């Protein structure tokens, strides 16, 4: 898929889900804050409970850019842990390496973060990790490979070039952007994670499947 068609898909998806999935989609939603298609502007009939839960699950899944199987596996893991399943789910998704690369300001979008990981630019505690789904543990250091630091994408990142499109760095990360390194200091709390989602609806969606 070309970058342009990916962009168009993300914009369309953002409009359907009512949340910006990329900086470009955020600009588009400001101008056209309604769903795509000929009925986008008209008030839609009330969605069924199933449709509401499905959309909420899709919103969460698309914000992390993961496949349904990964989402389901993470949900099952969240359910086995102590505490509220929905909150656990978001916290586990947030500890993915690609998610933390974005939160740290090393990348502009989740898709870009995934690319940086897959192309072997990112280290965790000095070890190359090329799996975006890698679960970072509290205390671990995420940093850019020395050979990659001088490349343009990372120079832009180190200068704070993505700050205007990203939320502020959350409290569970300690970031030294000029050094292109970030440490996960503790497990994220749902209330701090900058994703838009009614997690209870996601739990209800999976509980009924």
């Amino acid at each position: 898929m070309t970058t342009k068609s990916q962009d168009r898909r993300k914009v369309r998806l953002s409009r359907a889900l009512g949340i910006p999935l990329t900086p470009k989609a955020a600009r588009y939603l400001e101008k056209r804050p309604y769903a795509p298609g000929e009925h986008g502007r008209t008030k839609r009939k009330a969605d069924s409970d199933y449709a509401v839960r499905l959309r909420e699950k899709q919103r969460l899944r698309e914000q992390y850019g993961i496949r349904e199987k990964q989402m389901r596996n993470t949900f099952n893991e969240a359910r086995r842990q102590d505490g509220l399943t929905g909150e656990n789910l978001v916290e586990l998704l947030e500890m993915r390496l690609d998610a933390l690369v974005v939160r740290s300001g090393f990348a502009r979008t989740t898709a870009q973060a995934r690319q940086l990981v897959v192309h072997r630019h990112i280290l965790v505690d000095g070890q190359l990790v090329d799996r975006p789904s890698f679960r970072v543990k509290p205390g671990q250091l995420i940093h850019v490979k020395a050979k990659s630091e001088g490349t343009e994408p990372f120079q832009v990142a180190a200068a704070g070039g993505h700050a205007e499109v990203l939320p502020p760095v959350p409290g569970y990360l300690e970031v030294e952007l000029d050094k292109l390194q970030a440490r996960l200091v503790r497990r994220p709390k749902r209330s701090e994670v900058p994703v838009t989602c009614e997690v209870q609806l996601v739990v209800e969606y999976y509980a009924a499947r």
Side-chain angles (χ1 to χ4, degrees), residues 85-163:
T85 300
E87 298 201 353
N88 290 342
L89 173 62
V90 174
E91 290 162 17
L92 290 171
L93 290 170
E94 187 66 10
M95 290 192 285
R96 286 172 58 95
L97 180 56
D98 54 0
L100 294 175
V101 166
V102 177
R103 300 284 180 249
S104 303
F106 301 167
R108 198 175 175 83
T109 63
T110 308
Q112 187 188 14
R114 184 169 301 117
Q115 219 172 16
L116 297 177
V117 174
V118 169
H119 292 164
R120 303 168 70 83
H121 295 296
I122 305 293
L123 304 149
V124 177
D125 284 349
Q127 301 294 312
L128 253 180
V129 178
D130 57 8
R131 272 191 309 118
S133 62
F134 176 86
R135 177 87 43 80
V136 180
K137 297 186 184 75
Q140 288 190 311
L141 185 73
I142 302 162
H143 53 121
V144 175
K145 189 168 70 175
K147 275 186 180 175
S148 306
E149 285 178 3
T151 60
E152 191 194 358
F154 290 117
Q155 288 294 297
V156 169
H162 306 319

Side-chain angles (χ1 to χ4, degrees), residues 49-86:
D49 285 352
Y50 171 77
V52 169
R53 290 172 187 150
L54 173 66
R55 186 165 65 237
E56 209 57 31
K57 186 267 297 182
Q58 296 292 77
R59 287 174 98 177
L60 183 60
R61 188 167 77 78
E62 288 293 344
Q63 283 173 89
Y64 285 99
I66 60 174
R67 294 189 302 278
E68 179 59 33
K69 188 178 177 188
Q70 291 173 301
M71 183 83 164
R72 163 72 76 172
N73 288 345
T74 310
F75 174 80
N76 289 337
E77 185 180 349
R79 195 162 48 178
R80 291 193 295 270
Q81 294 187 346
D82 293 337
L84 296 170
T85 300

